Amino acid sequence: MPELEFVNIRKGYRSPTGDDLLAISDFSLKVDGGRFVTVVGPSGCGKTTLLRMAAGLIAPGAGEVRLDGVPLATPSPKMSMVFQAIGLMPWKTVESNVALGIQLQSHRQKLTPDELGRVQATIALVGLKGFERYYPSQLSGGMQQRVGLARALVRQPEILLMDEPFGALDAQTRAVLQDELLNLWGRIKSTVLFITHDLDEAIYLSDMVVIMGRRPGRIKEVLEVKLPRPRYSYDARAEPEFARLRNIAWQSIKEEL
Amino acid sequence: MTQATSPLPRQRKSGVGSLLGAAGNHYVLVACSAVAFIVLWQIVSMNVPPVILPSPASVAVAFVQLTASGELVRATLQTLWPFAIGLSVAFIVGTSLGLVLGIFAPAAKLFDPYIFVFWSIPNIAWLPLFIAWFGVGNLTLVVFVFVSAVFPQLLTVEAGAKEADSFLVEVARSLGGSKREILHIVVLPSALPYIFAGLRIAVGRALVGIIVGQLLIVATGIGYMFQFYGETLSLAKYFAPLIVIAALAVLLNRAVNWAENFFIPWKTRAFV
C-alpha cells in the first residue's frame, strides 16, 4: 500500500511589510497506506498549503514530501486531487472532464476502449449516469463535485488528496456526499488525505484526525478514530465515542481561534 | 454512489413554448416599430424639401432603379471584396498574434508598446501614407481595412489569452498536464469567446474602413455612391446604399452571433 510522508516541512513567506514569516514549522506526518487521514485546523494554519505540497504543486521551503519513500517534486500520476472550487473545464462535457483525468495522466489525447469504459463506469459510480453530455454550468454544485470526484477516481489513484471538497456545498448535499465518499473509499481502498475545518466531518470520515495549530502551522494533536465502519450503517455521529473525540478536538482547536 | 436525480429534459415544453411566444412577440414588436418609423419618416418628409429628406417611397423607387441598372449590385461587390479580404487577413493575423502575445509574456513585453502606439493613431491618418505606398486602388483599400480591423482583434484576443483562469491551470497541472497540454486544454478554450468579441469589433471597424477609403480616396463601391449622390444632392439615391450598408452590418453581426453559438456551446447551451 502506498504511503505518503511529510518530513520536517517548513514553509515561510514574505509579508507585505517585508518580514519573513513562518507559515509552517517542522511538520512531520506519516500517512500509512490505505488509511483515511484528515487534517483539521483553523483557517490560516497552512493545511491547504500542505496539501498542495503533497500534490506536487508547490515545493516546501525545507524538508520533503515522500511518496513510498521517494521525494516528490512534481504532480504524480499516482495521485488525484479534489478541490473545494472543483475546477471543471466549463467548455468540456461531464464525460470529457472525467476523461481529462486519464488524458493528463497518460499524456494521450485518444482514450483506449478500455479507458473509455472506465470513464463510463466512474460516471455511473458517482451517480451521474445520463449526464455524460451535460456541461458543468448545467449541473448543481453537488453534481459538479461528483464530476470532480469522478475525474479524480478515474485515474485509479493510489493516493487521493481532498481539499475541503464539500466545503462549498449545502449541509444536506454535504452529508450525502460524505456517505457516498465513504462507500466509494470502501471499494477502492486508496490512501486518502483530506482537509477540512469541519470537526464533525473529520471525525466521521477518518481513521486518524490531525489537529493543527497556527502561527506557525504545526501539529497540535493526533486523534485515532476507532468507530467501526461502515459508519453510514449506523448513527456514528450519535456514539459517545464520537462526542468524546469531538470534545477533545474542539478544546484543542479553540485555543487557536 | 446513488444515482443523482434523473437527467433534466433537454427541452422543457413550457419553456420552449414561452420562448417561442417571446420570440413571436419580439417580431411583432420589430414590425410595429418599423411601420411606425416609416410613417414618421413619411410625415416628416412631406413637410421638408426633398433635398433635405426624401420620402420613403422615393427612396424605394431609387433603390429599385439602382438595383435594376446594376449600379448598386456592382458597387456592393466592389465594396465587399476588399472588405472581405482585409477583414479575413486581419482576423487571422490578429487572432494568431493575439494568442502568441497573450501566451508568451516576453513577446508581449516586447511588442505591446508598438501595438499600443499604432493602435492609438487614428486610422484615417494612415490613408495618405497608404496611397503613397500602394497607389489609388484596391490594394490601399485592403490594407486600410486590415489596419482598421487588426488591432481590435489582436488586443481583444491577447487580453483573452491572458485571462485564462489560474485556478483551472493549477487543476490541469495537478492532473499532470504539461505546458503544452495546459495550453490546449485551458488557455485556448478560455480565449475562444474573446476571439468572437474581437471579431464583433473588427467587423465594425472594417466596415468604417472600407466606406471611408472608398468615399475619400479610391472612388469605387458603396463609399463612392455616398460621395457622388451626396455631392449631387440626389438624396433618394443616397439612401439606397445606406440601406445596403445597414443590412450588411446586421447580417454580419448575425453571422458572428451564429458562429459564437456554434463554437462556444458551453455558454449558450446552459439552461440552469
Side-chain angles (χ1 to χ4, degrees), chain A residues 5-232:
Chain A
E5 201 176 356
F6 295 86
V7 187
N8 299 322
I9 301 282
R10 286 166 71 89
K11 182 82 183 173
Y13 64 95
R14 183 148 296 177
S15 75
T17 53
D19 306 323
D20 285 322
L21 293 176
L22 202 54
I24 295 166
S25 160
D26 295 313
F27 183 95
S28 294
L29 175 69
K30 195 167 160 196
V31 181
D32 292 328
R35 296 200 91 195
F36 198 125
V37 174
T38 297
V39 176
V40 285
S43 48
C45 73
K47 52 192 193 297
T48 293
T49 306
L50 283 164
L51 202 69
R52 293 179 69 224
M53 282 176 195
L57 290 170
I58 54 171
E64 57 190 25
V65 180
R66 292 180 196 152
L67 176 59
D68 285 332
V70 182
L72 191 84
T74 52
S76 160
K78 293 179 182 170
M79 292 191 193
S80 295
M81 183 151 170
V82 180
F83 299 83
Q84 178 176 7
I86 311 174
L88 301 178
M89 305 297 152
W91 38 84
K92 285 184 178 287
T93 59
V94 167
E95 195 171 25
S96 307
N97 265 294
V98 175
L100 202 57
I102 297 178
Q103 287 166 329
L104 294 181
Q105 187 180 36
S106 64
H107 302 289
R108 274 184 293 101
Q109 270 288 303
K110 187 119 177 67
L111 267 59
T112 63
D114 182 50
E115 288 168 337
L116 272 173
R118 224 162 78 206
V119 168
Q120 298 306 331
T122 312
I123 290 172
L125 192 67
V126 299
L128 287 179
K129 201 170 171 54
F131 291 92
E132 288 85 352
R133 305 216 174 278
Y134 279 55
Y135 287 98
S137 60
Q138 297 171 308
L139 304 177
S140 69
M143 289 160 84
Q144 288 184 21
Q145 192 54 287
R146 287 167 191 257
V147 181
L149 204 54
R151 179 179 64 190
L153 294 179
V154 79
R155 294 156 65 86
Q156 302 179 325
E158 294 179 1
I159 294 179
L160 190 57
L161 304 170
M162 308 188 82
D163 185 12
E164 298 197 41
F166 309 140
L169 304 176
D170 64 85
Q172 287 82 8
T173 309
R174 184 189 304 195
V176 169
L177 283 181
Q178 284 168 355
D179 283 350
E180 296 191 355
L181 175 63
L182 285 184
N183 181 17
L184 282 173
W185 177 68
R187 297 196 220 173
I188 56 173
K189 278 290 171 199
S190 66
T191 309
V192 180
L193 182 59
F194 192 100
I195 300 283
T196 182
H197 57 251
D198 180 340
L199 292 178
D200 287 58
E201 180 170 75
I203 297 165
Y204 184 67
L205 294 177
S206 318
D207 297 320
M208 185 169 113
V209 176
V210 178
I211 299 165
M212 283 186 76
R214 62 175 170 178
R215 295 205 194 95
R218 69 205 183 282
I219 294 179
K220 276 198 79 176
E221 200 154 352
V222 176
L223 300 177
E224 289 287 332
V225 185
K226 297 220 155 53
L227 292 161
R229 292 182 187 275
R231 291 180 191 155
Y232 46 83

Side-chain angles (χ1 to χ4, degrees), chain B residues 118-171:
Chain B
F118 280 108
W119 184 61
S120 307
I121 296 170
N123 285 337
I124 196 83
W126 294 109
L127 211 39
L129 184 68
F130 291 163
I131 290 160
W133 285 351
F134 308 114
V136 178
N138 281 322
L139 185 56
T140 290
L141 287 179
V142 169
V143 174
F144 189 59
V145 167
F146 169 79
V147 168
S148 304
V150 76
F151 290 110
Q153 185 69 33
L154 192 163
L155 291 166
T156 313
V157 172
E158 181 182 345
K162 282 179 180 164
E163 264 314 272
D165 187 341
S166 59
F167 172 57
L168 290 184
V169 170
E170 174 161 304
V171 169

Side-chain angles (χ1 to χ4, degrees), chain B:
Chain B
M1 272 197 175
T2 57
Q3 172 72 23
T5 47
S6 72
L8 290 163
R10 271 266 169 231
Q11 298 182 322
R12 275 173 284 188
K13 281 243 164 79
S14 63
V16 170
S18 64
L19 258 176
L20 267 179
N25 284 339
H26 174 73
Y27 287 122
V28 170
L29 209 64
V30 167
C32 285
S33 107
V35 169
F37 177 78
I38 291 170
V39 167
L40 191 70
W41 179 4
Q42 179 68 39
I43 292 168
V44 174
S45 70
M46 288 190 303
N47 295 296
V48 297
V51 77
I52 301 294
L53 184 67
S55 70
S58 65
V59 169
V61 170
F63 189 90
V64 172
Q65 276 175 358
L66 288 172
T67 308
S69 73
E71 184 183 343
L72 194 56
V73 178
R74 198 166 51 245
T76 304
L77 290 177
Q78 278 174 349
T79 295
L80 269 183
W81 80 257
F83 167 81
I85 294 176
L87 179 63
S88 308
V89 178
F91 177 74
I92 293 165
V93 172
T95 302
S96 29
L97 217 57
L99 286 176
V100 170
L101 295 187
I103 289 161
F104 302 108
K109 277 215 172 83
L110 195 62
F111 289 109
D112 273 352
Y114 293 99
I115 290 164
F116 186 71
V117 167
F118 280 108
W119 184 61
S120 307
I121 296 170
N123 285 337
I124 196 83
W126 294 109
L127 211 39
L129 184 68
F130 291 163
I131 290 160
W133 285 351
F134 308 114
V136 178
N138 281 322
L139 185 56
T140 290
L141 287 179
V142 169
V143 174
F144 189 59
V145 167
F146 169 79
V147 168
S148 304
V150 76
F151 290 110
Q153 185 69 33
L154 192 163
L155 291 166
T156 313
V157 172
E158 181 182 345
K162 282 179 180 164
E163 264 314 272
D165 187 341
S166 59
F167 172 57
L168 290 184
V169 170
E170 174 161 304
V171 169
R173 222 155 63 77
S174 84
L175 294 169
S178 66
K179 280 203 162 145
R180 245 191 86 206
E181 285 169 324
I182 289 171
L183 196 69
H184 183 75
I185 285 156
V186 184
V187 179
L188 293 183
S190 26
L192 204 50
Y194 291 81
I195 293 176
F196 291 101
L199 183 58
R200 209 178 291 283
I201 308 170
V203 164
R205 296 293 183 94
L207 213 50
V208 172
I210 188 70
I211 296 302
V212 165
Q214 292 186 326
L215 195 152
L216 288 182
I217 309 293
V218 184
T220 52
I222 299 280
Y224 180 66
M225 284 183 85
F226 288 139
Q227 200 219 353
F228 183 79
Y229 293 117
E231 278 184 356
T232 56
L233 296 179
S234 323
L235 286 203
K237 289 185 171 170
Y238 184 95
F239 274 61
L242 211 54
I243 291 168
V244 171
I245 285 299
L248 189 62
V250 170
L251 277 179
L252 286 169
N253 203 5
R254 283 287 167 87
V256 175
N257 282 347
W258 178 85
E260 202 169 11
N261 290 349
F262 183 80
F263 285 106
I264 316 180
W266 64 90
K267 289 215 156 154
T268 46
R269 278 190 212 154
F271 53 69
V272 172

